[in-house]
Amino acid sequence: MASAMSTEPFLTIDSTARRVSLDARDPRFYGDPNRTYAALHAGCPTFYWEDQRQWFFTGYDAVNGLLRDRRFGRQILHIASREELGLPEPPAHTLHFEAAEAHSLLEIEPPEHTRLRTLINRAFVSRHVEKMKPEIEVLANQLIDRFAADGAVELLSAFAEIIPVTMIARMIGIPEEMGPQLLKWSHAYVGMYMFKRSHADELAADQAAREFSDYVRSMIAIRRAQPADDLLTHMIHTEHKGQYLTDDELVSTTIVLLNAGHEATVHQIGNSVRTILASGASPAEIFSNPAITERTVEECLRIGAPVHIFQRYCLEPAEIDGVSLARGDKVSLILAAANLDPLKFSDPLAFRPDRAEAPNLSFGAGIHFCIGAPLARLELNLALPILFQRLPGLKLAGTAVVKDIYHFHGLDRLDLTW
Ligand code: HEM
């Protein structure tokens, strides 16, 4: 894998020892991770990533199985103490972040997770999502109206970034003018999930968590006094077996919905447009009716997923694909690589919307399956065809630059002309 930038190898695979050395910050990797995933599938689908000091899984069956395996969880502190696991206490400068995460669906396991997810599901039902359809169509068209006459656009800032945050804010019941502020908080907040974060990233994330939480608490107070037909009001009043969400749970849930609810979708809109334009496929054909559009959207999710890695703690000793894991071990599942497993997908790196093979794993599986998948899918199924129908001559202007933020996969900017 040579590059003009550097001739140093960025990927070394020792298939016999199942050890891989890979520099996640090398643009030859994060700029085109699918090529590396193909090499890993060929040489070593389950491997110990030396630089990350962890076992990684890329095989479809292994990843799908691990996501559903109750011997693994997103959290382990519900069954073991930090002391027992040798984990340090969270540092004082991230306490607001920790508090906001404490009740996030993504940070808890049953029985707490089951209780919270049941309550949230009752408020986040499909009729609330379906109701957004006309609004998404209007918004997508309004945004395109602003630049349609220009012949050129940077799509992320003018389109992709605005739709998800506007929709999730409207759904929750947060005033739209908060959109830019929500984006700032969210960008700073997700800095905590980066592979190599700095002390400054942690401070920024903690400050965002504090301000974001204070803001959500003020919104909760307003909605308690003046209920409205929005998700926040529904979450406040939703009841299951005599239980309600506490204020801390409402804060964590609103933050996770806002964060998870837009970052991934923004990247997915950008990745999808880039994939389609680079593939040479005819937009008129692949968006010719809703059923074909749906398959196109799924193929874009398969081949250009926005979030590549999710981690699990091993909760009890287990053996996966010949790897013995002990309680407390952390493993990583590369969902985006599982989507390219040659054992499941023929010619896996090719963009083929007509393929009828395994479902992609981009929204996960099992108890943590993305609660926002119906909303994300609705946005993609509406926004993409509208964009290509309104601007039939759409072309990539130059080479799209991938952000150096692995394990997210998204673009810095996406310049288009027509
Ligand atoms: C293309 C867009 C999206 C992708 C690819 C995506 C992907 C995922 C994945 C893979 C998971 C499971 C994580 C795990 O198992 O460890 C997840 C969970 C979650 N997602 Fe999404 N997501 C997207 C959009 C959204 C949206 C729009 C929302 C909110 C409206 C959302 C809210 C959540 C929440 C709250 C969870 C945690 C669920 C739980 O733990 O029970 N996501 N997402």
Side-chain angles (χ1 to χ4, degrees):
M1 297 209 172
S3 142
M5 288 175 236
S6 160
T7 49
E8 289 290 307
F10 68 96
L11 170 66
T12 320
I13 300 177
D14 179 343
S15 305
T16 318
R18 303 218 278 184
R19 302 229 143 201
V20 165
S21 166
L22 169 61
D23 178 1
R25 301 293 306 272
D26 192 309
R28 290 170 296 173
F29 170 54
Y30 71 76
D32 183 8
N34 287 3
R35 227 156 44 110
T36 296
Y37 295 154
L40 290 166
H41 278 302
C44 204
T46 295
F47 60 92
Y48 188 81
W49 186 336
E50 308 268 12
D51 320 56
Q52 309 295 341
R53 300 201 189 124
Q54 230 179 77
W55 282 95
F56 279 68
F57 295 84
T58 65
Y60 187 97
D61 287 339
V63 169
N64 191 29
L66 276 160
L67 287 168
R68 298 164 190 275
D69 193 330
R70 300 297 296 279
R71 294 172 300 171
F72 293 83
R74 286 199 52 112
Q75 184 53 272
I76 190 166
L77 293 174
H78 60 304
I79 58 160
S81 66
R82 285 183 182 272
E83 208 177 7
E84 184 190 333
L85 298 165
L87 294 176
E89 287 300 320
H93 67 276
T94 61
L95 289 183
H96 295 101
F97 178 85
E98 295 293 330
E101 290 280 277
H103 304 283
S104 156
L105 277 180
L106 279 170
E107 299 304 319
I108 54 177
E109 284 296 308
E112 203 49 31
H113 178 269
T114 319
R115 178 187 151 268
L116 207 61
R117 181 138 178 162
T118 307
L119 281 164
I120 296 165
N121 258 338
R122 290 171 87 87
F124 202 73
V125 288
S126 53
R127 76 190 141 85
H128 290 299
V129 175
E130 271 300 310
K131 232 173 51 181
M132 309 306 287
K133 188 174 173 206
E135 293 191 33
I136 299 169
E137 287 169 340
V138 169
L139 178 61
N141 276 302
Q142 281 171 344
L143 294 173
I144 297 167
D145 288 343
R146 291 191 200 161
F147 57 75
D150 300 348
V153 72
E154 194 291 288
L155 195 78
L156 298 190
S157 53
F159 188 76
E161 272 202 349
I162 303 173
I163 296 175
V165 73
T166 310
M167 285 305 136
I168 191 69
R170 276 191 202 169
M171 215 171 151
I172 292 175
I174 290 179
E176 227 147 281
E177 55 275 18
M178 283 300 290
Q181 180 61 65
L182 294 175
L183 283 178
K184 278 189 207 146
W185 281 332
S186 177
H187 287 322
Y189 193 94
V190 299
M192 280 297 269
Y193 304 131
M194 300 304 162
F195 255 20
K196 281 186 183 160
R197 55 174 198 248
S198 64
H199 186 75
D201 292 334
E202 293 179 353
L203 287 175
D206 199 60
Q207 186 182 342
R210 180 169 52 78
E211 293 174 7
F212 210 162
S213 303
D214 288 348
Y215 175 72
V216 175
R217 275 183 210 287
S218 70
M219 278 305 302
I220 294 171
I222 294 172
R223 283 292 170 268
R224 279 201 202 285
Q226 297 166 326
D229 184 16
D230 58 30
L231 192 58
L232 190 53
T233 309
H234 287 288
M235 289 197 296
I236 291 170
H237 294 290
T238 212
E239 176 262 329
H240 181 61
K241 295 184 184 160
Q243 295 209 34
Y244 293 86
L245 293 170
T246 65
D247 277 15
D248 286 348
E249 289 169 344
L250 285 167
V251 169
S252 285
T253 303
T254 307
I255 290 180
V256 73
L257 285 175
L258 277 163
N259 284 340
H262 91 268
E263 288 282 334
T265 319
V266 172
H267 290 322
Q268 191 55 28
I269 294 174
N271 294 354
S272 303
V273 170
R274 180 192 186 209
T275 301
I276 291 165
L277 290 174
S279 75
S282 151
E285 255 170 56
I286 60 175
F287 293 119
S288 54
N289 70 46
I292 301 177
T293 296
E294 208 176 303
R295 294 172 79 155
T296 300
V297 165
E298 293 307 307
E299 180 66 348
C300 290
L301 279 160
R302 183 189 72 83
I303 203 169
V307 197
H308 283 198
I309 294 182
F310 289 87
Q311 296 188 319
R312 290 293 185 268
Y313 283 103
C314 180
L315 305 180
E316 54 183 272
E319 191 179 310
I320 307 291
D321 193 18
V323 179
S324 295
L325 298 162
R327 176 178 151 112
D329 284 351
K330 242 180 167 180
V331 294
S332 284
L333 325 179
I334 312 187
L335 273 50
N339 288 340
L340 304 176
D341 188 339
L343 298 175
K344 291 284 173 194
F345 303 97
S346 48
D347 197 3
L349 297 197
F351 173 70
R352 286 207 342 236
D354 61 345
R355 62 171 82 235
E357 295 170 321
N360 66 72
L361 293 178
S362 300
F363 290 111
I367 63 165
H368 290 283
F369 179 80
C370 178
I371 207 169
L375 177 62
R377 285 189 158 124
L378 187 68
E379 289 173 351
L380 293 162
N381 276 276
L382 295 172
L384 293 173
I386 290 174
L387 181 73
F388 280 97
Q389 278 149 17
R390 291 278 313 269
L391 306 169
L394 222 48
K395 282 195 290 287
L396 292 171
T399 313
V401 177
V402 177
K403 263 187 187 309
D404 177 10
I405 48 165
Y406 190 74
H407 59 97
F408 287 96
H409 181 68
L411 301 173
D412 253 332
R413 46 187 294 129
L414 181 56
D415 291 292
L416 304 174
T417 56
W418 54 92

